[in-house]
Amino acid sequence: MNSLMIDKKPLLKVTELKQHFTLKREVVFQAKQVVKAVDGISFELFPGETLSIVGESGCGKSTTGRSILRLDEPTGGDVLFKDESLTKMSKKELRRVRGDIQVIFQDPYASLNPRRTIRQMLDEAMAIQKVLPPNEREARMLELMKHVGLRPEYLERYPHEFSGGQRQRIGIARALAVNPEIIICDEAVSALDVSIRAQILNLLKKLQKDLNLTFLFISHDLSVVRHISDRVMVMYLGKIVEIADKSSLFNNPLHPYTKALLSAIPVTDQTKREDRIILKGDVPSPLNPPVGCRFNTRCPFATDLCRKEEPKLRELESNHSVACHYAEELSS
């Protein structure tokens, strides 16, 4: 396990989290349809680490982040922040904790109010969370702009006057304005150009070191995840299939789905290119997930056991857990 986590209690503990969405009936007497976007996942987030959640589109990674924040009310399970249950808090109690857990969204322009200047947005965030008295906020805003690499005069501008990378820096500044302990980065760099993406990732790593931040980093890009993560959690169709420290997962993946994802990472050195694992078929609908292992319809190693019994997430190696009946055989 990463040295950051030695002898530390988890800052965030997620237990059997579920997020099911009931679809509206299109016709009278139609049977109720339930989308199981997140279906009973458990994990821990430790102080100072970056835990990344990866998987294909529709696997439930962004829904996990929204459910933790209660932007979508969880269907079941519990989320503990410093031993306090977020799922059982009233809206008033939750507002108090919102300053400790912030989010950076994928589209910075959509998450910024186009009618407010950057100064107004930062001031509003600090006012709502009562971070500082009004006479001290100016100095804090100038400090935030310096932290994210923007000029002080940009405080008077509106979001449409900035580039995508600059807007994401503003989103980071707004998250930092309330002195959070955890920041959930929901595809925070996926909409940016490659060169700008690298700058934002390096900025996040620097801020984590300087401000002792903890990141839950949601992404579909494994090359980005490799750069920023301490641990990686792989999701498929609402379930965790593998979770391990970055080195173990990238050098010794245990689940067939993880192996397929890693084989798809582009490489420039042709001598190091491994055979690409092509998954057959499409991702099943979360309206009607497969019985047993949810990956069995696309897994080349699936057996009758996989089609009948759901594998439990179990620790196969030190701090390396996998949900696969045949992980031992496939790793040998």
Side-chain angles (χ1 to χ4, degrees):
M1 184 173 286
N2 190 285
S3 59
L4 289 167
M5 295 177 279
I6 297 176
D7 297 327
K8 286 190 176 183
K9 289 180 61 178
L11 190 59
L12 190 77
K13 185 174 182 179
V14 177
T15 306
E16 290 296 317
L17 183 66
K18 294 182 180 181
Q19 186 58 266
H20 298 174
F21 299 103
T22 302
L23 302 184
K24 291 183 179 179
R25 291 184 173 92
E26 295 182 358
V27 295
V28 180
F29 305 124
Q30 182 183 32
K32 184 171 69 174
Q33 293 183 302
V34 178
V35 176
K36 297 180 179 179
V38 177
D39 200 20
I41 66 171
S42 301
F43 64 92
E44 296 175 334
L45 181 64
F46 292 87
E49 77 160 332
T50 298
L51 172 63
S52 291
I53 306 178
V54 300
E56 294 171 288
S57 296
C59 71
K61 52 189 186 294
S62 291
T63 305
T64 297
R66 292 180 61 85
S67 299
I68 289 170
L69 292 163
R70 280 181 61 185
L71 297 178
D72 295 321
E73 288 291 342
T75 306
D78 200 6
V79 179
L80 297 179
F81 173 67
K82 292 183 174 179
D83 296 327
E84 286 188 279
S85 175
L86 300 183
T87 55
K88 297 176 182 176
M89 285 183 178
S90 65
K91 289 185 178 180
K92 184 177 181 180
E93 291 172 321
L94 189 62
R95 176 173 287 188
R96 170 179 56 84
V97 180
R98 281 267 164 82
D100 296 318
I101 307 175
Q102 285 289 294
V103 61
I104 302 170
F105 294 101
Q106 176 178 354
D107 184 354
Y109 191 65
S111 64
L112 300 174
N113 189 332
R115 297 184 179 182
R116 289 180 177 267
T117 64
I118 308 311
R119 176 186 298 280
Q120 289 171 326
M121 283 187 276
L122 295 179
D123 185 74
E124 180 183 43
M126 288 186 278
I128 290 173
Q129 290 296 328
K130 301 177 182 179
V131 174
L132 290 170
N135 63 331
E136 296 180 22
R137 292 176 194 160
E138 176 69 20
R140 176 59 175 161
M141 284 189 274
L142 293 174
E143 181 184 33
L144 288 169
M145 297 297 276
K146 183 178 179 181
H147 271 314
V148 300
L150 293 175
R151 297 177 183 176
E153 57 264 33
Y154 288 177
L155 284 169
E156 312 306 328
R157 295 187 181 181
Y158 292 87
H160 73 270
E161 299 180 76
F162 297 96
S163 67
Q166 289 174 323
R167 284 197 286 261
Q168 197 59 288
R169 290 174 186 268
I170 294 165
I172 294 170
R174 185 177 59 179
L176 294 176
V178 294
N179 300 323
E181 293 187 54
I182 296 174
I183 296 181
I184 297 176
C185 302
D186 187 7
E187 298 279 9
V189 297
S190 64
L192 305 176
D193 293 337
V194 174
S195 59
I196 305 301
R197 188 181 305 173
Q199 293 175 21
I200 298 299
L201 288 173
N202 290 333
L203 172 62
L204 290 173
K205 291 186 74 172
K206 183 178 186 302
L207 290 172
Q208 182 176 44
K209 182 179 178 181
D210 294 345
L211 304 177
N212 193 30
L213 297 170
T214 302
F215 289 137
L216 184 64
F217 194 87
I218 298 166
S219 179
H220 66 276
D221 190 333
L222 282 162
S223 59
V224 168
V225 166
R226 185 176 227 158
H227 178 71
I228 199 169
S229 307
D230 294 302
R231 288 191 300 141
V232 182
M233 184 171 88
V234 183
M235 288 186 68
Y236 182 80
L237 214 60
K239 292 282 189 180
I240 299 172
V241 298
E242 189 164 359
I243 183 167
D245 65 84
K246 175 178 67 176
S247 177
S248 296
L249 188 123
F250 278 88
N251 295 324
N252 184 32
L254 299 177
H255 197 281
Y257 179 61
T258 308
K259 293 180 180 182
L261 290 180
L262 293 178
S263 77
I265 300 176
V267 294
T268 54
D269 188 347
Q270 296 297 321
T271 62
K272 295 182 179 179
R273 179 178 292 277
E274 298 180 0
D275 291 337
R276 171 76 189 275
I277 301 173
I278 306 296
L279 296 177
K280 296 181 179 180
D282 297 323
V283 179
S285 170
L287 275 170
N288 187 27
V291 177
C293 174
R294 296 196 173 185
F295 188 56
N296 80 72
T297 58
R298 304 174 77 197
C299 180
F301 309 104
T303 66
D304 287 341
L305 175 63
C306 304
R307 299 181 187 98
K308 294 177 182 177
E309 184 179 325
E310 182 178 325
K312 294 181 179 179
L313 188 67
R314 56 200 173 95
E315 190 174 65
L316 195 63
E317 298 178 358
S318 178
N319 305 308
H320 192 154
S321 298
V322 62
C324 177
H325 292 302
Y326 299 105
E328 290 93 344
E329 291 88 336
L330 296 176
S331 64
S332 59

